[in-house]
Amino acid sequence: MLLAIDAGNTNVVFALLDGREIKTRWRIATDPRRTADEYAVWLNQLLMLEGYAMADVDAVIVATVVPRALHNLQVLADKYFKTTALVAGQSPVDWGIELDVAEPASVGADRVVNAIAAHHLYEGDLIVIDFGTATTFDVVDYRGAYKGGIIAPGINLSLDALVAAAAKLPRIAIAPPENRSVIGRTTADAMLIGVFWGYVAMMEGLVARMRAEIGRPTKVISTGGLAVLFNDNSDIFDAIAPDLTIQGLALLYERSFRTA
């Protein structure tokens, strides 16, 4: 079985796959100081709870945007799973798609992996919106080439910055407002409207501009933890793919295995 690891700025997601089928997944807060031994103790317990053992894992693939976290994940694969971790974007795991941008080496691994999975799952030109620490908007053309995109502050990051900079503003949870009014009658309501509907307006505006620039019919695919929350309050999404990054890692592993 394959252990796919998506190491983001906020969380590290581990997913156990049999072929392309995701059997189970777990997440843990990203901490570059976390050792391979700590990962192993945590994973061993979770695997047993799901009826699996560490010996069931015979391959590991990693995508990371946190370079400091990579070493300990590689040690985890070597020491506890007795295999060398494949790393997305590093030989022998070539992307297999064109990165048609000015600085291909600077594109985050998660964004490329999402592009690979989205092109595999959906036809035509695509905009992939990933709700993470940052919210990214990435364009994949009908041939599967990655064309670039947008990086915006994630909604939780925006809210944290607002609360940190304004002493009298309370901390609130991200949730749809109780009604569609955009005139808040309390401080908390005003904050929620600004953050939530402001984010919806940003997404709708950016997607409209991107579609106009692309000039062809374009589907919008969303992924990440807040995708469902916004889907209920906007009509810009054509599909929600919560496991897009993991699916992309599974595809990368298949391609690398076939060419090895």
Side-chain angles (χ1 to χ4, degrees):
M1 300 182 78
L2 173 68
L3 182 66
I5 305 173
D6 172 25
N9 289 297
T10 302
N11 293 305
V12 183
V13 177
F14 294 80
L16 188 67
L17 297 100
D18 186 358
R20 294 182 190 173
E21 182 184 358
I22 300 173
K23 292 296 188 180
T24 187
R25 66 184 68 73
W26 311 279
R27 64 181 59 231
I28 192 170
T30 301
D31 182 353
R33 300 169 300 175
R34 185 171 284 114
T35 67
D37 301 326
E38 290 173 305
Y39 280 124
V41 170
W42 178 75
L43 276 173
N44 185 48
Q45 294 174 333
L46 291 171
L47 283 163
M48 288 192 296
L49 286 172
E50 298 288 344
Y52 298 103
M54 297 184 81
D56 294 327
V57 175
D58 52 22
V60 175
I61 188 167
V62 181
T64 182
V65 295
V66 186
R68 287 180 56 211
L70 179 58
H71 172 72
N72 286 324
L73 292 170
Q74 290 174 311
V75 174
L76 171 70
D78 288 336
K79 184 175 180 181
Y80 290 98
F81 296 111
K82 312 303 180 186
T83 186
T84 299
L86 297 171
V87 181
Q90 296 183 15
S91 181
V93 190
D94 295 327
W95 292 127
I97 65 170
E98 179 186 2
L99 301 185
D100 186 15
V101 293
E103 299 176 345
S106 69
V107 181
D110 53 345
R111 300 172 72 188
V112 184
V113 171
N114 284 346
I116 291 167
H119 178 67
H120 177 80
L121 294 169
Y122 306 97
E123 296 181 348
D125 292 275
L126 306 170
I127 298 170
V128 180
I129 304 179
D130 188 352
F131 296 95
T133 306
T135 298
T136 56
F137 301 70
D138 292 303
V139 177
V140 188
D141 75 8
Y142 62 94
R143 299 173 295 116
Y146 175 82
K147 306 295 286 187
I150 297 168
I151 301 174
I155 188 167
N156 284 306
L157 190 63
S158 299
L159 182 57
D160 289 344
L162 180 63
V163 172
K168 295 187 69 175
L169 293 184
R171 182 166 295 280
I172 61 172
I174 298 298
E178 292 183 359
N179 58 62
R180 301 184 75 86
S181 172
V182 291
I183 301 174
R185 297 177 62 83
T186 68
T187 298
D189 286 346
M191 290 175 64
L192 185 56
I193 290 166
V195 172
F196 187 87
W197 290 120
Y199 221 75
V200 170
M202 178 194 74
M203 289 188 298
E204 292 176 342
L206 289 177
V207 165
R209 287 173 175 267
M210 295 174 88
R211 279 176 160 158
E213 188 169 333
I214 293 166
R216 294 183 296 271
T218 305
K219 297 185 183 75
V220 178
I221 314 303
S222 65
T223 189
L226 293 175
V228 174
L229 175 67
F230 287 113
N231 185 56
D232 293 336
N233 293 278
S234 177
D235 59 3
I236 61 170
F237 304 132
D238 293 288
I240 297 177
D243 294 310
L244 198 63
T245 310
I246 297 301
Q247 291 169 316
L249 283 172
L251 287 168
L252 272 179
Y253 172 74
E254 283 183 13
R255 294 173 185 176
S256 301
F257 183 77
R258 285 198 300 264
T259 58

